[in-house]
Amino acid sequence: DSNTFIIPAHTSENRKYIPMGYADSDTIITNAMYMVCDAPKWVFAVVSSYMSMIWMKTIGGKLKTDYRYTNLCYNSFSFPKINEEQKARLTALAEHVLFTRENHTEMTYGEMYNPESMPQDLKYAHQAMDIAVEQCYRPEPFTSDEERLEYLFKLYEKMTKKK
């Protein structure tokens, strides 16, 4: 259905974001992508965020120098429980990213997500979504990728600790 969220299995090492999206019922999902059925838009915001990208770069695989997304990236990514207001905010920001991409139909996703040709409005839409995702973790901003990873690994440790 139209709520099938797709994630490419491979992406360029140069990208800040993986060009993810939604598929319709006519799309054939191959082994070159992952799918999340019935995924609400706020999940798109979380999984396509920079925070998720940092996690994927650390625990995902590689194909030569490009990144390889795996089910481990998705299933082990720690994200706190969020309330309906946060979900609504993330949903609105995800929709903004998706609508912004529609303003650039003359470009392929590869061109849109190339750091050298990424449209400014798409960069800003992703940055706003990143801020909202990171605020789900804590109110103060992260100062580095190392700090983000440290925080994610602490959450992962809590998530996997036996009770």
Side-chain angles (χ1 to χ4, degrees):
D1 64 24
S2 62
N3 289 328
T4 302
F5 173 44
I6 54 173
I7 305 166
H10 303 97
T11 197
S12 168
E13 66 180 310
N14 299 321
R15 290 188 179 133
K16 184 171 179 177
Y17 304 101
I18 299 174
M20 304 177 185
Y22 283 86
D24 61 25
S25 60
D26 294 329
T27 303
I28 297 171
I29 308 297
T30 70
N31 66 338
M33 59 187 85
Y34 291 90
M35 68 179 186
V36 182
C37 297
D38 298 322
K41 296 264 182 2
W42 70 266
V43 171
F44 170 88
V46 173
V47 178
S48 63
S49 70
Y50 184 65
M51 198 78 161
S52 179
M53 186 72 166
I54 293 296
W55 184 252
M56 185 276 304
K57 285 180 176 182
T58 304
I59 64 136
K62 286 233 177 171
L63 182 64
K64 294 185 182 183
T65 58
D66 289 338
Y67 293 109
R68 181 180 178 114
Y69 196 94
T70 68
N71 58 354
L72 181 62
C73 299
Y74 183 87
N75 292 327
S76 67
F77 183 64
S78 301
F79 190 71
K81 290 190 188 292
I82 59 174
N83 61 39
E84 292 304 314
E85 184 179 315
Q86 290 169 305
K87 288 178 186 178
R89 181 171 181 224
L90 292 177
T91 296
L93 291 165
E95 288 173 347
H96 183 62
V97 166
L98 294 167
F99 290 136
T100 301
R101 292 193 319 204
E102 289 179 15
N103 293 333
H104 302 285
T105 55
E106 75 286 355
M107 301 175 83
T108 65
Y109 277 9
E111 292 167 336
M112 274 190 245
Y113 283 87
N114 178 326
E116 294 176 12
S117 58
M118 187 177 201
Q120 280 300 112
D121 57 346
L122 185 57
K123 280 182 191 176
Y124 294 146
H126 269 284
Q127 288 169 351
M129 196 167 65
D130 288 340
I131 291 167
V133 167
E134 290 188 9
Q135 287 174 342
C136 291
Y137 288 97
R138 65 184 204 188
E140 66 274 0
F142 291 96
T143 59
S144 67
D145 291 350
E146 291 77 18
E147 188 180 16
R148 287 177 181 88
L149 270 177
E150 183 180 327
Y151 198 92
L152 287 171
F153 274 114
K154 284 180 183 176
L155 275 181
Y156 177 77
E157 187 177 340
K158 283 182 189 177
M159 182 177 86
T160 57
K161 199 173 224 177
K162 294 197 180 212
K163 294 181 182 186

